[in-house]
Amino acid sequence: MRYIRVMGGGALGLLFAAKLAASGCRIDLVTRTREQALLLRENGIEIEGESSVYIHVDNVRSFQDLVWEPQTSDSKPDAILLAVKQTAMYGDMASYIASASRDTVILSIQNGIGHWDALGISTNRDHLIQAVTTEGARKITPISAAHTGRGWTRIGLVYPGESRSSSDGVLDNIQKCLEQAGFQASLSKNINHTIWEKLLINAVINPLTALLGVSNGELPESPQALSLMRSLFDEGVEVAKYQGISIEESHWDEILQVCRKTAGNHSSMLQDLTAGRPTEIESINGGLLRLAERTGLALPVNETVYRLIKAAELKG
Ligand SMILES: NC(=O)C1=CN([C@@H]2O[C@H](COP(=O)(O)OP(=O)(O)OC[C@H]3O[C@@H](n4cnc5c(N)ncnc54)[C@H](OP(=O)(O)O)[C@@H]3O)[C@@H](O)[C@H]2O)C=CC1
Ligand SMILES: CC(C)(CO)C(=O)C(=O)O
């Protein structure tokens, strides 16, 4: 796995592209705008914080330019790393990903649920890989990002039941690449469980920090907020149960631990709301609501925060 295309020059995209390129991987980076692509080609990528990397990357272009480009065998990457937000996973982007050759691994590091369904791929899905990461990054300028927290990354097949004999080798290769680039990476036979654990962390912390305008560390300090966090968690655990996923009680302590460990962080949803960008609410609490609807479960607290975030998004 020597040639990886990173989609998205945001916080995680810049971090992963820079570290993978610095470790010797052939990287090309795809941005939304031509302006950012030009700046990156001229200035390279700079990462500060937990990692310090400065690297020149020649191969940077906008998504629009990528889709018009003729595809040759040399321009076909071994893997596409999806580092765009869920909100960008529709329309042309979904069509591009869905039409990629099955020899190209699709590796998503997105939070939340629903992005694989958005691609609409119903067969031959053994090249779809989810990475759940607790790495923290924040974009500073179009060409730089801060690595705000070192974490772990677990990878696994999205549809393990459909794996072919070569799948294990593919996962091993990706793990090695990530490790060579300095990420702590491991393989998971049950990535779905890890996806759900991360989903519940985001479902509990993100909307409340965004609505209250508080840091992750401040959130559980208010008894009222803590009680809402617990209700969001309990409702999420019920939905997980209906999906055949058992979330242990210890995961509640893990969520409180995340608040302590990332005490100074502003959650991504708070950052998105503050900047007037759409949030990932649809794939977090919205994802839970859609699944609950199918089973007739009521999620009053998730529904309330979902509606409040949607209303706050409209304010811009
Ligand atoms: N940041 C973090 O610490 C973590 C993030 N995640 C998850 O990773 C994913 C990415 O997050 P993050 O990096 O923070 O998000 P960012 O918003 O920083 O980056 C997303 C990038 O995608 C770009 N983009 C949008 N549309 C396209 C397109 N059509 N083609 C190419 N690029 C496009 C955006 O460009 P533009 O800015 O020009 O719109 C932006 O640069 C999210 O799902 C997030 O939840 C998971 C763990 C930690
Ligand atoms: C873990 C947490 C809550 C850290 O801020 C996060 O993933 C986010 O902000 O989206």
Side-chain angles (χ1 to χ4, degrees):
M1 184 90 30
R2 300 315 292 162
Y3 177 16
I4 301 179
R5 174 165 296 156
V6 178
M7 306 293 289
L12 279 193
L14 292 177
L15 175 71
F16 275 78
K19 284 175 74 80
L20 284 162
S23 73
C25 262
R26 176 180 167 197
I27 289 296
D28 70 41
L29 180 56
V30 181
T31 59
R32 184 178 62 83
T33 64
R34 284 189 172 143
E35 292 75 16
Q36 189 189 8
L38 182 64
L39 282 170
L40 283 162
R41 280 198 302 274
E42 283 176 348
N43 301 289
I45 308 175
E46 192 166 358
I47 303 295
E48 60 181 57
E50 293 287 330
S51 301
S52 177
V53 184
Y54 170 72
I55 187 133
H56 191 80
V57 275
D58 291 321
N59 217 347
V60 188
R61 54 213 188 287
S62 68
F63 179 68
Q64 198 187 349
D65 288 336
L66 171 77
V67 291
W68 284 107
E69 204 172 76
Q71 299 297 305
T72 63
S73 56
D74 186 54
S75 67
K76 197 176 81 177
D78 298 316
I80 296 175
L81 174 60
L82 284 179
V84 297
K85 287 232 162 103
Q86 287 262 359
T87 43
M89 274 303 297
Y90 296 90
D92 290 349
M93 174 64 78
S95 311
Y96 171 76
I97 300 295
S99 66
S101 139
R102 202 171 154 207
D103 304 334
T104 299
V105 167
I106 311 290
L107 175 67
S108 164
I109 48 176
Q110 293 169 325
N111 279 332
I113 50 175
H115 43 283
W116 297 109
D117 298 335
L119 295 179
I121 306 175
S122 55
T123 54
N124 296 335
R125 300 183 291 190
D126 47 18
H127 61 310
L128 305 183
I129 294 178
Q130 180 69 41
V132 178
T133 187
T134 61
E135 296 291 348
R138 184 169 43 82
K139 186 168 160 185
I140 306 172
T141 70
I143 58 157
S144 64
H147 189 185
T148 49
R150 277 188 186 275
W152 47 256
T153 302
R154 280 188 210 137
I155 55 173
L157 293 169
V158 180
Y159 300 101
E162 300 176 19
S163 67
R164 50 185 160 165
S165 52
S166 56
S167 300
D168 284 349
V170 170
L171 285 171
D172 283 344
N173 275 339
I174 294 176
Q175 182 199 13
K176 281 199 193 92
C177 270
L178 292 173
E179 283 190 331
Q180 274 165 17
F183 296 106
Q184 187 197 317
S186 58
L187 303 186
S188 169
K189 290 266 179 231
N190 187 2
I191 197 70
N192 217 13
H193 192 264
T194 316
I195 293 172
W196 271 84
E197 285 183 335
K198 184 81 196 282
L199 174 67
L200 292 198
I201 292 174
N202 293 127
V204 169
I205 299 177
N206 292 21
L208 293 178
T209 48
L211 291 167
L212 296 169
V214 295
S215 69
N216 294 353
E218 286 171 297
L219 184 62
E221 281 171 11
S222 144
Q224 296 298 337
L226 184 65
S227 131
L228 285 171
M229 288 172 74
R230 183 69 212 201
S231 303
L232 288 169
F233 176 73
D234 289 341
E235 290 180 6
V237 169
E238 276 304 296
V239 185
K241 210 186 288 170
Y242 271 86
Q243 298 298 310
I245 310 273
S246 155
I247 302 288
E248 300 73 25
E249 173 58 26
S250 59
H251 194 53
W252 169 246
D253 299 320
E254 179 63 30
I255 293 176
L256 297 178
Q257 179 82 357
V258 171
C259 289
R260 282 191 289 274
K261 277 197 190 155
T262 63
N265 268 27
H266 281 181
S267 74
S268 54
M269 204 170 279
L270 172 56
Q271 289 183 45
D272 285 339
L273 263 197
T274 312
R277 291 186 298 254
T279 71
E280 292 188 295
I281 192 78
E282 284 297 349
S283 61
I284 301 176
N285 307 80
L288 289 174
L289 286 170
R290 277 188 296 278
L291 289 175
E293 206 175 83
R294 287 189 214 155
T295 51
L297 269 180
L299 308 182
V301 185
N302 275 277
E303 188 164 348
T304 304
V305 296
Y306 169 84
R307 287 178 185 225
L308 286 170
I309 292 286
K310 296 298 276 185
E313 279 179 350
L314 277 185
K315 264 175 48 190

